[in-house]
Tab-separated table of all heavy atoms in Angstrom:
chain	number	residue	atom	x	y	z
L	28	SER	N	0.573	-11.389	-9.985
L	28	SER	CA	0.174	-11.657	-8.603
L	28	SER	C	1.319	-11.263	-7.678
L	28	SER	O	2.414	-10.938	-8.137
L	28	SER	CB	-0.169	-13.134	-8.406
L	28	SER	OG	0.993	-13.924	-8.590
L	29	LEU	N	1.053	-11.319	-6.389
L	29	LEU	CA	2.073	-11.116	-5.363
L	29	LEU	C	2.105	-12.378	-4.505
L	29	LEU	O	1.075	-12.789	-3.976
L	29	LEU	CB	1.717	-9.932	-4.464
L	29	LEU	CG	2.206	-8.565	-4.848
L	29	LEU	CD1	1.688	-7.518	-3.868
L	29	LEU	CD2	3.710	-8.516	-4.918
L	30	ALA	N	3.267	-12.960	-4.361
L	30	ALA	CA	3.413	-14.145	-3.516
L	30	ALA	C	3.337	-13.735	-2.052
L	30	ALA	O	3.685	-12.608	-1.696
L	30	ALA	CB	4.748	-14.832	-3.811
L	31	PRO	N	2.914	-14.647	-1.179
L	31	PRO	CA	2.916	-14.344	0.259
L	31	PRO	C	4.315	-13.915	0.711
L	31	PRO	O	5.316	-14.476	0.281
L	31	PRO	CB	2.516	-15.668	0.907
L	31	PRO	CG	1.752	-16.392	-0.157
L	31	PRO	CD	2.388	-15.976	-1.463
L	32	GLY	N	4.359	-12.894	1.558
L	32	GLY	CA	5.636	-12.402	2.060
L	32	GLY	C	6.302	-11.375	1.176
L	32	GLY	O	7.316	-10.785	1.542
L	33	CYS	N	5.738	-11.148	-0.007
L	33	CYS	CA	6.292	-10.172	-0.948
L	33	CYS	C	5.429	-8.910	-0.946
L	33	CYS	O	4.327	-8.901	-0.423
L	33	CYS	CB	6.344	-10.756	-2.357
L	33	CYS	SG	7.491	-12.133	-2.515
L	34	GLY	N	5.948	-7.857	-1.555
L	34	GLY	CA	5.192	-6.627	-1.650
L	34	GLY	C	6.040	-5.505	-2.195
L	34	GLY	O	7.164	-5.719	-2.670
L	35	LEU	N	5.498	-4.296	-2.119
L	35	LEU	CA	6.178	-3.105	-2.611
L	35	LEU	C	5.965	-1.988	-1.598
L	35	LEU	O	4.841	-1.771	-1.129
L	35	LEU	CB	5.597	-2.697	-3.968
L	35	LEU	CG	6.293	-1.568	-4.703
L	35	LEU	CD1	7.692	-1.978	-5.142
L	35	LEU	CD2	5.470	-1.140	-5.912
L	36	PHE	N	7.052	-1.290	-1.236
L	36	PHE	CA	6.981	-0.151	-0.329
L	36	PHE	C	7.308	1.085	-1.147
L	36	PHE	O	8.436	1.277	-1.581
L	36	PHE	CB	7.966	-0.336	0.821
L	36	PHE	CG	7.857	0.680	1.924
L	36	PHE	CD1	6.736	1.469	2.091
L	36	PHE	CD2	8.897	0.838	2.817
L	36	PHE	CE1	6.635	2.392	3.120
L	36	PHE	CE2	8.825	1.757	3.857
L	36	PHE	CZ	7.686	2.531	4.002
L	37	ILE	N	6.298	1.908	-1.397
L	37	ILE	CA	6.433	3.096	-2.238
L	37	ILE	C	6.709	4.304	-1.343
L	37	ILE	O	5.894	4.658	-0.497
L	37	ILE	CB	5.158	3.338	-3.063
L	37	ILE	CG1	4.812	2.094	-3.880
L	37	ILE	CG2	5.317	4.557	-3.949
L	37	ILE	CD1	3.448	2.150	-4.533
L	38	VAL	N	7.890	4.919	-1.548
L	38	VAL	CA	8.323	6.056	-0.735
L	38	VAL	C	8.919	7.122	-1.642
L	38	VAL	O	9.826	6.801	-2.416
L	38	VAL	CB	9.380	5.625	0.303
L	38	VAL	CG1	9.842	6.812	1.109
L	38	VAL	CG2	8.847	4.539	1.208
L	39	PRO	N	8.492	8.367	-1.610
L	39	PRO	CA	7.342	8.858	-0.866
L	39	PRO	C	6.050	8.603	-1.635
L	39	PRO	O	6.060	8.530	-2.870
L	39	PRO	CB	7.627	10.352	-0.749
L	39	PRO	CG	8.405	10.685	-1.985
L	39	PRO	CD	9.217	9.453	-2.286
L	40	SER	N	4.964	8.500	-0.898
L	40	SER	CA	3.648	8.356	-1.509
L	40	SER	C	2.576	8.640	-0.466
L	40	SER	O	2.722	8.244	0.687
L	40	SER	CB	3.458	6.955	-2.080
L	40	SER	OG	2.194	6.842	-2.703
L	41	GLN	N	1.524	9.308	-0.901
L	41	GLN	CA	0.405	9.612	-0.012
L	41	GLN	C	-0.903	9.018	-0.516
L	41	GLN	O	-1.925	9.096	0.164
L	41	GLN	CB	0.266	11.126	0.135
L	41	GLN	CG	1.492	11.759	0.774
L	41	GLN	CD	1.424	13.264	0.751
L	41	GLN	OE1	0.969	13.872	-0.219
L	41	GLN	NE2	1.881	13.872	1.831
L	42	ALA	N	-0.856	8.423	-1.700
L	42	ALA	CA	-2.032	7.776	-2.296
L	42	ALA	C	-1.531	6.864	-3.410
L	42	ALA	O	-0.409	7.039	-3.900
L	42	ALA	CB	-3.006	8.806	-2.850
L	43	ILE	N	-2.354	5.903	-3.784
L	43	ILE	CA	-1.979	5.021	-4.893
L	43	ILE	C	-3.190	4.792	-5.795
L	43	ILE	O	-4.330	5.077	-5.421
L	43	ILE	CB	-1.426	3.654	-4.410
L	43	ILE	CG1	-2.433	2.897	-3.536
L	43	ILE	CG2	-0.138	3.839	-3.650
L	43	ILE	CD1	-3.033	1.715	-4.176
L	44	HIS	N	-2.910	4.248	-6.966
L	44	HIS	CA	-3.986	3.798	-7.857
L	44	HIS	C	-3.650	2.380	-8.298
L	44	HIS	O	-2.502	1.946	-8.228
L	44	HIS	CB	-4.125	4.719	-9.080
L	44	HIS	CG	-2.981	4.620	-10.024
L	44	HIS	ND1	-2.906	3.629	-10.986
L	44	HIS	CD2	-1.864	5.358	-10.154
L	44	HIS	CE1	-1.788	3.774	-11.669
L	44	HIS	NE2	-1.122	4.814	-11.173
L	45	THR	N	-4.684	1.666	-8.713
L	45	THR	CA	-4.487	0.309	-9.217
L	45	THR	C	-4.899	0.198	-10.682
L	45	THR	O	-5.234	-0.871	-11.167
L	45	THR	CB	-5.258	-0.720	-8.357
L	45	THR	OG1	-6.647	-0.375	-8.353
L	45	THR	CG2	-4.723	-0.748	-6.930
L	46	VAL	N	-4.861	1.331	-11.378
L	46	VAL	CA	-5.199	1.358	-12.797
L	46	VAL	C	-4.175	0.525	-13.567
L	46	VAL	O	-2.966	0.714	-13.422
L	46	VAL	CB	-5.230	2.806	-13.332
L	46	VAL	CG1	-5.465	2.833	-14.833
L	46	VAL	CG2	-6.294	3.610	-12.605
L	47	GLY	N	-4.660	-0.415	-14.348
L	47	GLY	CA	-3.790	-1.267	-15.155
L	47	GLY	C	-3.292	-2.509	-14.442
L	47	GLY	O	-2.603	-3.332	-15.037
L	48	MET	N	-3.634	-2.660	-13.168
L	48	MET	CA	-3.197	-3.852	-12.449
L	48	MET	C	-4.118	-5.029	-12.753
L	48	MET	O	-5.276	-4.848	-13.109
L	48	MET	CB	-3.139	-3.583	-10.941
L	48	MET	CG	-1.987	-2.652	-10.599
L	48	MET	SD	-1.760	-2.376	-8.853
L	48	MET	CE	-1.632	-4.023	-8.210
L	49	ALA	N	-3.590	-6.233	-12.561
L	49	ALA	CA	-4.325	-7.439	-12.907
L	49	ALA	C	-4.903	-8.159	-11.691
L	49	ALA	O	-5.552	-9.191	-11.840
L	49	ALA	CB	-3.409	-8.394	-13.677
L	50	PHE	N	-4.675	-7.621	-10.488
L	50	PHE	CA	-5.115	-8.324	-9.281
L	50	PHE	C	-5.317	-7.316	-8.150
L	50	PHE	O	-4.741	-6.228	-8.166
L	50	PHE	CB	-4.071	-9.377	-8.866
L	50	PHE	CG	-2.690	-8.817	-8.671
L	50	PHE	CD1	-2.254	-8.433	-7.408
L	50	PHE	CD2	-1.815	-8.657	-9.739
L	50	PHE	CE1	-0.985	-7.908	-7.227
L	50	PHE	CE2	-0.544	-8.143	-9.563
L	50	PHE	CZ	-0.125	-7.760	-8.299
L	51	PRO	N	-6.143	-7.669	-7.157
L	51	PRO	CA	-6.335	-6.777	-6.008
L	51	PRO	C	-5.145	-6.847	-5.056
L	51	PRO	O	-4.382	-7.818	-5.071
L	51	PRO	CB	-7.605	-7.317	-5.342
L	51	PRO	CG	-7.654	-8.746	-5.739
L	51	PRO	CD	-7.000	-8.850	-7.093
L	52	ILE	N	-5.007	-5.816	-4.205
L	52	ILE	CA	-3.919	-5.757	-3.224
L	52	ILE	C	-4.433	-5.186	-1.902
L	52	ILE	O	-5.418	-4.461	-1.879
L	52	ILE	CB	-2.742	-4.887	-3.716
L	52	ILE	CG1	-3.219	-3.474	-4.088
L	52	ILE	CG2	-1.995	-5.552	-4.849
L	52	ILE	CD1	-2.114	-2.486	-4.421
L	53	ASP	N	-3.743	-5.532	-0.817
L	53	ASP	CA	-3.932	-4.856	0.459
L	53	ASP	C	-2.993	-3.661	0.484
L	53	ASP	O	-1.862	-3.746	-0.030
L	53	ASP	CB	-3.602	-5.783	1.634
L	53	ASP	CG	-4.736	-6.739	1.995
L	53	ASP	OD1	-5.778	-6.725	1.318
L	53	ASP	OD2	-4.556	-7.507	2.963
L	54	VAL	N	-3.435	-2.561	1.089
L	54	VAL	CA	-2.657	-1.319	1.102
L	54	VAL	C	-2.589	-0.769	2.524
L	54	VAL	O	-3.609	-0.693	3.209
L	54	VAL	CB	-3.307	-0.272	0.160
L	54	VAL	CG1	-2.535	1.017	0.178
L	54	VAL	CG2	-3.427	-0.818	-1.253
L	55	ILE	N	-1.367	-0.400	2.933
L	55	ILE	CA	-1.158	0.188	4.258
L	55	ILE	C	-0.395	1.501	4.093
L	55	ILE	O	0.663	1.532	3.471
L	55	ILE	CB	-0.361	-0.757	5.176
L	55	ILE	CG1	-1.127	-2.075	5.370
L	55	ILE	CG2	-0.073	-0.090	6.526
L	55	ILE	CD1	-0.352	-3.129	6.136
L	56	PHE	N	-0.944	2.579	4.665
L	56	PHE	CA	-0.313	3.895	4.627
L	56	PHE	C	0.411	4.121	5.955
L	56	PHE	O	-0.174	3.886	7.017
L	56	PHE	CB	-1.363	4.987	4.426
L	56	PHE	CG	-2.089	4.872	3.123
L	56	PHE	CD1	-3.203	4.064	2.999
L	56	PHE	CD2	-1.641	5.560	2.009
L	56	PHE	CE1	-3.867	3.941	1.789
L	56	PHE	CE2	-2.297	5.445	0.796
L	56	PHE	CZ	-3.405	4.629	0.679
L	57	VAL	N	1.674	4.570	5.889
L	57	VAL	CA	2.461	4.797	7.097
L	57	VAL	C	3.052	6.206	7.105
L	57	VAL	O	3.320	6.783	6.053
L	57	VAL	CB	3.604	3.766	7.251
L	57	VAL	CG1	3.041	2.360	7.388
L	57	VAL	CG2	4.591	3.840	6.102
L	58	ASP	N	3.271	6.720	8.324
L	58	ASP	CA	3.905	8.024	8.458
L	58	ASP	C	5.418	7.858	8.582
L	58	ASP	O	5.934	6.744	8.469
L	58	ASP	CB	3.306	8.823	9.624
L	58	ASP	CG	3.594	8.237	11.002
L	58	ASP	OD1	4.465	7.345	11.135
L	58	ASP	OD2	2.940	8.680	11.969
L	59	LYS	N	6.135	8.947	8.847
L	59	LYS	CA	7.600	8.897	8.868
L	59	LYS	C	8.161	8.080	10.024
L	59	LYS	O	9.323	7.699	10.001
L	59	LYS	CB	8.189	10.308	8.880
L	59	LYS	CG	7.851	11.111	10.105
L	59	LYS	CD	8.415	12.514	10.002
L	59	LYS	CE	8.013	13.335	11.210
L	59	LYS	NZ	8.466	14.711	11.098
L	60	LYS	N	7.330	7.782	11.031
L	60	LYS	CA	7.767	6.924	12.138
L	60	LYS	C	7.233	5.501	11.977
L	60	LYS	O	7.303	4.706	12.904
L	60	LYS	CB	7.316	7.518	13.472
L	60	LYS	CG	8.002	8.835	13.788
L	60	LYS	CD	7.590	9.343	15.147
L	60	LYS	CE	8.308	10.643	15.451
L	60	LYS	NZ	7.926	11.171	16.767
L	61	TYR	N	6.670	5.215	10.824
L	61	TYR	CA	6.097	3.904	10.476
L	61	TYR	C	4.885	3.547	11.322
L	61	TYR	O	4.610	2.376	11.570
L	61	TYR	CB	7.157	2.793	10.508
L	61	TYR	CG	8.330	3.084	9.618
L	61	TYR	CD1	9.606	3.222	10.137
L	61	TYR	CD2	8.166	3.255	8.246
L	61	TYR	CE1	10.684	3.520	9.319
L	61	TYR	CE2	9.231	3.556	7.424
L	61	TYR	CZ	10.490	3.680	7.966
L	61	TYR	OH	11.565	3.980	7.143
L	62	ASN	N	4.136	4.557	11.749
L	62	ASN	CA	2.834	4.332	12.378
L	62	ASN	C	1.809	4.147	11.261
L	62	ASN	O	1.839	4.881	10.264
L	62	ASN	CB	2.420	5.525	13.240
L	62	ASN	CG	3.325	5.712	14.432
L	62	ASN	OD1	3.524	4.792	15.210
L	62	ASN	ND2	3.885	6.906	14.573
L	63	VAL	N	0.893	3.204	11.434
L	63	VAL	CA	-0.125	2.945	10.424
L	63	VAL	C	-1.185	4.049	10.473
L	63	VAL	O	-1.826	4.263	11.498
L	63	VAL	CB	-0.770	1.557	10.630
L	63	VAL	CG1	-1.904	1.342	9.634
L	63	VAL	CG2	0.278	0.456	10.506
L	64	LEU	N	-1.345	4.737	9.336
L	64	LEU	CA	-2.329	5.822	9.215
L	64	LEU	C	-3.632	5.345	8.579
L	64	LEU	O	-4.689	5.925	8.817
L	64	LEU	CB	-1.770	6.950	8.353
L	64	LEU	CG	-0.520	7.650	8.845
L	64	LEU	CD1	-0.058	8.666	7.813
L	64	LEU	CD2	-0.779	8.313	10.181
L	65	GLY	N	-3.526	4.327	7.726
L	65	GLY	CA	-4.711	3.840	7.023
L	65	GLY	C	-4.489	2.453	6.472
L	65	GLY	O	-3.349	2.079	6.168
L	66	VAL	N	-5.543	1.686	6.372
L	66	VAL	CA	-5.492	0.348	5.770
L	66	VAL	C	-6.658	0.211	4.797
L	66	VAL	O	-7.754	0.705	5.046
L	66	VAL	CB	-5.542	-0.785	6.826
L	66	VAL	CG1	-4.321	-0.763	7.721
L	66	VAL	CG2	-6.788	-0.714	7.673
L	67	ARG	N	-6.383	-0.443	3.691
L	67	ARG	CA	-7.410	-0.745	2.696
L	67	ARG	C	-7.202	-2.194	2.265
L	67	ARG	O	-6.153	-2.542	1.749
L	67	ARG	CB	-7.312	0.176	1.471
L	67	ARG	CG	-7.505	1.647	1.774
L	67	ARG	CD	-8.948	1.933	2.208
L	67	ARG	NE	-9.143	3.336	2.536
L	67	ARG	CZ	-9.011	3.863	3.749
L	67	ARG	NH1	-8.651	3.117	4.759
L	67	ARG	NH2	-9.241	5.141	3.952
L	68	GLU	N	-8.218	-3.021	2.500
L	68	GLU	CA	-8.105	-4.437	2.157
L	68	GLU	C	-8.678	-4.713	0.775
L	68	GLU	O	-9.704	-4.159	0.393
L	68	GLU	CB	-8.846	-5.283	3.196
L	68	GLU	CG	-8.214	-5.222	4.575
L	68	GLU	CD	-8.892	-6.133	5.565
L	68	GLU	OE1	-8.811	-7.365	5.383
L	68	GLU	OE2	-9.510	-5.617	6.511
L	69	ALA	N	-7.985	-5.570	0.049
L	69	ALA	CA	-8.445	-6.078	-1.253
L	69	ALA	C	-8.877	-4.959	-2.205
L	69	ALA	O	-9.970	-5.005	-2.768
L	69	ALA	CB	-9.563	-7.102	-1.057
L	70	VAL	N	-8.013	-3.974	-2.384
L	70	VAL	CA	-8.309	-2.887	-3.326
L	70	VAL	C	-8.266	-3.476	-4.736
L	70	VAL	O	-7.238	-3.977	-5.183
L	70	VAL	CB	-7.286	-1.736	-3.197
L	70	VAL	CG1	-7.565	-0.653	-4.233
L	70	VAL	CG2	-7.302	-1.155	-1.791
L	71	PRO	N	-9.398	-3.456	-5.445
L	71	PRO	CA	-9.433	-4.072	-6.770
L	71	PRO	C	-8.731	-3.218	-7.830
L	71	PRO	O	-8.462	-2.040	-7.610
L	71	PRO	CB	-10.930	-4.183	-7.071
L	71	PRO	CG	-11.610	-3.223	-6.172
L	71	PRO	CD	-10.689	-2.953	-5.016
């Protein structure tokens, strides 16, 4: 699981997979100026 306030920032990355994970996650894609490009809630 991920505790509240915790997470992972993957750099560089333009896509992710959740193959082999045990829980869903929220995902936010950002550009080089940290503008939000995309959001995906509860990716299983």
